[in-house]
Amino acid sequence: MARILACGAFLKNAACLLDTEAPLKPLWSAQHGDLSDPAACEALEQSVRTLLAQAGGPIDAVAHDLHPDFFSTHLALRLAHELGVSAIAVQHHHAHIAAVLAEHGALHDKESDTERDMARPVIGIALDGVGLGTDGVAWGGEVLLVDGARCERLGHLSPLALPGGDVAAREPWRMAAAALHACGMAEQIVPRFAPTVGEQAARTIHTMLQRGLNCPQTTAAGRWFDAVAGLLGLSVRQEFEAQAAIALEQAAARYLQSHTLEVRTSDWAVTPDGQIEVRPLLLSTLIATDCHNPAAVDEAAARFHLTLADALSAHAVAQAHVHQVRDVALGGGCFFNRILTQRVVSQLRSAGLNVLQTKSLSCGDPGLALGQAWVAARTVAKRASATSNTAVAFVEFA
């Protein structure tokens, strides 16, 4: 099919070279870290040039993230120009699901029956912290239909504001404030958070949310985890990535070790346009939880995990029936969360669906380049097929 160089994600960046005519053993660079670090950018450029030298033949395309401002995007465009090939942008969550498909052998139609079968469309559930969507909004809680190079958004978590932009991802109390605002309870922001973060900070965030100032929207599952951790008093500011989400999972695990929990269907909903709502749970339970009662906090954390999993699974099952698809692929860093993953897998399998997950590959951003390469390879093949069909039609007409 094609030989593709993929430049990877912005966070935990790693590049890869994929030759789809060979067995599925992509060549990987080292992991470079986050591309906000100039040293990581320099290491990425060195790595991709090393991969090019190892390619064993000409490159057909260079794949990169959809975001136009990433260093990896600029590098891909520059390399594509140098090599005289296409630069192919791949949406972040499409790439997450594609990485799962690539690892399951979806590339080689000529190989085994299983691999031929994997060429069919799949439903993808992609959950992470951020990735630029095709509408210019930060995605991260997505239900997708992936059919090779084609990706259709079938649903997503209801959006939350990011008060202050990227800084909100480091301060879960801001996401909790955004959740209160989204639930029509903005008047609680100052009394709830002023004792912890200060009167001025709480009032500033309240004003920003009320006026929509520097409050871009996101559908990211990671930010919903932050918001709930902030509401339950488990995290105010994060010292390391996913600290709030880890604290929330640990609280849920404590409860589920000795309790069972029945999810209330009234705690979630899916709108006709595919928006997956968990705000009913916040209104019924989470906002009113006593943060000074550890047992109540643990139960609320568990209820959030299971409710979110059931809401996502139910929509994925419904869409699988609509599109007559029997496989669901799970991708994105939120699937490091065992409680969430186990519940989603259980719900999907109970509905008779086949669940695909990464095996040796990371479900997070370190494995994203393989998904980029997989999509780009299919894009190249589709273009070649279209060109061939056009040429045949011209000859027949002549």
Side-chain angles (χ1 to χ4, degrees):
M1 290 170 66
R3 187 180 289 115
I4 308 293
L5 175 69
C7 291
F10 181 79
L11 302 175
K12 305 179 189 69
N13 174 272
C16 86
L17 177 70
L18 181 65
D19 185 347
T20 62
E21 292 296 332
L24 185 57
K25 293 181 179 178
L27 294 176
W28 284 94
S29 73
Q31 194 174 132
H32 305 117
D34 299 350
L35 296 183
S36 56
D37 181 357
C41 296
E42 183 179 349
L44 170 60
E45 179 154 10
Q46 292 175 349
S47 290
V48 297
R49 294 195 180 278
T50 298
L51 289 173
L52 286 172
Q54 297 172 330
I59 297 295
D60 294 292
V62 184
H64 60 88
D65 191 86
L66 187 63
H67 202 297
D69 297 332
F70 289 169
F71 172 81
S72 52
T73 299
H74 296 167
L75 177 61
L77 294 173
R78 178 154 45 90
L79 287 171
H81 179 73
E82 289 178 14
L83 298 169
V85 299
S86 296
I88 298 175
V90 181
Q91 198 278 325
H92 187 88
H93 302 96
H94 187 186
H96 268 311
I97 301 306
V100 180
L101 302 182
E103 199 179 21
H104 280 263
L107 286 163
H108 300 293
D109 295 346
K110 64 185 179 183
E111 294 291 331
S112 68
D113 290 340
T114 298
E115 288 164 347
R116 280 199 301 273
D117 217 22
M118 281 311 306
R120 63 181 182 262
V122 305
I123 298 295
I125 303 178
L127 308 177
D128 62 6
V130 67
L132 182 67
T134 55
D135 58 357
V137 174
W139 291 5
E142 312 305 314
V143 177
L144 308 171
L145 177 67
V146 174
D147 185 5
R150 187 175 73 87
C151 180
E152 180 184 351
R153 194 186 198 195
L154 302 177
H156 58 84
L157 293 179
S158 55
L160 277 177
L162 289 165
D166 290 343
V167 68
R170 301 189 293 273
E171 298 187 4
W173 78 270
R174 294 185 183 229
M175 296 311 306
L180 288 172
H181 180 264
C183 290
M185 304 179 74
E187 73 280 356
Q188 288 196 19
I189 293 173
V190 174
R192 191 171 191 124
F193 297 111
T196 305
V197 303
E199 182 87 10
Q200 182 61 45
R203 288 196 178 280
T204 298
I205 294 303
H206 175 266
T207 300
M208 290 171 63
L209 286 164
Q210 290 291 84
R211 297 181 181 177
L213 300 173
N214 192 18
C215 289
Q217 299 288 303
T218 180
T219 61
R223 301 293 76 80
W224 274 103
F225 275 92
D226 291 347
V228 174
L231 285 172
L232 297 179
L234 293 170
S235 180
V236 177
R237 295 181 177 86
Q238 303 195 73
E239 296 180 3
F240 55 86
E241 184 185 5
Q243 183 179 11
I246 291 169
L248 191 66
E249 183 184 7
Q250 290 172 340
R254 286 193 295 268
Y255 183 83
L256 294 172
Q257 280 175 356
S258 54
H259 301 81
T260 57
L261 194 60
E262 184 175 344
V263 174
R264 302 182 295 251
T265 55
S266 59
D267 280 342
W268 60 268
V270 180
T271 65
D273 63 352
Q275 186 164 292
I276 301 162
E277 285 282 7
V278 292
R279 283 183 293 182
L281 174 63
L282 272 66
L283 289 164
S284 71
T285 304
L286 298 187
I287 292 174
T289 298
D290 180 2
C291 296
H292 302 292
N293 182 340
V297 169
D298 289 354
E299 180 179 357
R303 191 168 290 283
F304 171 72
H305 275 78
L306 301 190
T307 301
L308 177 64
D310 284 11
L312 288 161
S313 299
H315 187 56
V317 169
Q319 292 301 313
H321 290 156
V322 168
H323 294 279
Q324 299 184 325
V325 170
R326 66 174 187 253
D327 298 299
V328 182
L330 311 181
C334 288
F335 284 109
F336 284 119
N337 184 309
R338 291 184 180 181
I339 296 173
L340 178 72
T341 302
Q342 289 171 1
R343 181 73 170 196
V344 169
V345 170
S346 174
Q347 295 290 84
L348 295 174
R349 286 178 176 166
S350 294
L353 298 173
N354 180 43
V355 181
L356 305 171
Q357 299 172 263
T358 53
K359 296 181 283 188
S360 59
L361 193 71
S362 168
C363 64
D365 284 357
L368 194 77
L370 180 58
Q372 292 175 341
W374 187 90
V375 174
R378 291 191 170 272
T379 300
V380 168
K382 187 175 181 179
R383 290 174 180 174
S385 176
T387 301
S388 175
N389 291 339
T390 301
V392 169
F394 178 78
V395 170
E396 290 176 348
F397 179 79

